[in-house]
Amino acid sequence: MNALFNCISQYHPISLSAWEALSKALTQVSIPRNSFLVQEGMVCNHLYFLEQGCLRGYYNLDGKEITYWFGFENHFITSFYSFISRKPGIENIQTLEDSTLWGISYEALNQLFDLHKDLERVVRIINEQYYIRLEERLMAMQFKTARERYEQLLESSPHILRRISLGQIASYLGISQETLSRIRSHV
Amino acid sequence: MNALFNCISQYHPISLSAWEALSKALTQVSIPRNSFLVQEGMVCNHLYFLEQGCLRGYYNLDGKEITYWFGFENHFITSFYSFISRKPGIENIQTLEDSTLWGISYEALNQLFDLHKDLERVVRIINEQYYIRLEERLMAMQFKTARERYEQLLESSPHILRRISLGQIASYLGISQETLSRIRSHV
DNA sequence: CCTTTCCTTTGACAATTGTCAAAAAGCAAA
DNA sequence: TTTGCTTTTTGACAATTGTCAAAGGAAAGG
């Protein structure tokens, strides 16, 4: 659980009492490769912190699996739309490696927000940072070519390429697997 | 200022004291068409609520203006990256019509967060909703054709088409003006 | 070690979209 | 109305990317 504490502290310090309360509300989840944390059609009731392993979020469109994010160590993971809106989502969250996470339920988290304002603050701040990242990704998607997006990914997250299959990376970049393969061979 | 109160209340109720404190911290800004609320290279120090009018956010890339959002009545407006990170941004925010906004400085907002926890909560909740919208936009950008994105825009925001020029809409959709013109003529 | 399965590459071709240039249309001020 | 400016449309062509199909490689399990 140290990793989570360190991760949170990087965003904003929290009080010891808030951390203790949070610790008590967390449940450890260990699941093998290729299992599902969240499946489409269900309400995602938990926010997770990924301590070890690797996941992807994807949904099905016209019979294809569309991967739109990857999660690695020290990332917060949830089906955001469903978790926030309390409605069933279209998203599946699948482990790509054996993974260990810490989870907290929506109810428990919101109870903690009432009791520990510094916890609510740090979550607000983390949300803001995740928003900025999403904004950057949208810009890249909107105004860069496939090759530029791939090169940007290479720079910012070289580890993705070692842990994720080509087809899934292509989907994440919004291009076909064949195109990515060709970009990669410098053609 | 009623519009702002109603808008906030739709997300989450706030106490009268929080509203009164917020009201006092707000400054009204009225600026004519084609003027700038934020310019690239500066730190955006304010969060705005757009009461009347219409704006766009854009940045310059290879000599082109890349529009990546529009703001209409009852939207919250800021150069999010710069406002949150306190660093100079690349974004310009320009009025497309004569506009009236209410603004609050970063410092004042954060002071209010310390004093009025329900205000921090409603901002957290608003952030979350804006995150969800951004996520939807990213999905559309990643996995839909230009035509589909245009048709989706027609459905969700028909008013955009009446108030914004074609070139700017095309930029927002991530396509060239000529392509959008051809899509529009049903070719 | 072999088999089976999955992942990646390659080829051929089609569809989409971009770029450049020019014409047409719309709009506002004189 | 005319003039001048901006926006939108159209044409021709090039570049990018997608699709389908097949072949080559890598990896996992028996």
Side-chain angles (χ1 to χ4, degrees), chain B residues 60-99:
Chain B
N60 290 293
L61 184 69
D62 305 332
K64 281 186 186 170
E65 292 185 354
I66 307 287
T67 297
Y68 67 109
W69 58 261
F70 299 109
F72 297 97
E73 285 81 7
N74 297 316
H75 286 199
F76 294 97
I77 308 285
T78 191
S79 178
F80 198 84
Y81 166 78
S82 177
F83 183 74
I84 293 300
S85 70
R86 317 306 299 142
K87 293 177 192 163
I90 58 167
E91 187 173 357
N92 301 277
I93 301 182
Q94 183 186 32
T95 49
L96 300 177
E97 302 172 0
D98 298 348
S99 298

Side-chain angles (χ1 to χ4, degrees), chain A residues 9 16 18 25 43 65 103-104 110 124 144 149 162-163 171:
Chain A
S9 301
L16 188 60
V43 175
E65 293 185 354
I104 185 170
N110 279 277
R124 170 180 66 80
K144 298 196 171 177
R149 296 203 298 277
R162 274 178 269 115
R163 295 173 75 176
S171 179

Side-chain angles (χ1 to χ4, degrees), chain A residues 66 120 124 142-143 172, chain B residues 66 120 124 142-143 172:
Chain A
I66 307 289
E120 179 160 19
R124 170 180 66 80
Q142 198 161 2
F143 307 114
Y172 173 83
Chain B
I66 307 287
E120 179 159 21
R124 170 180 66 81
Q142 199 162 1
F143 307 114
Y172 174 83

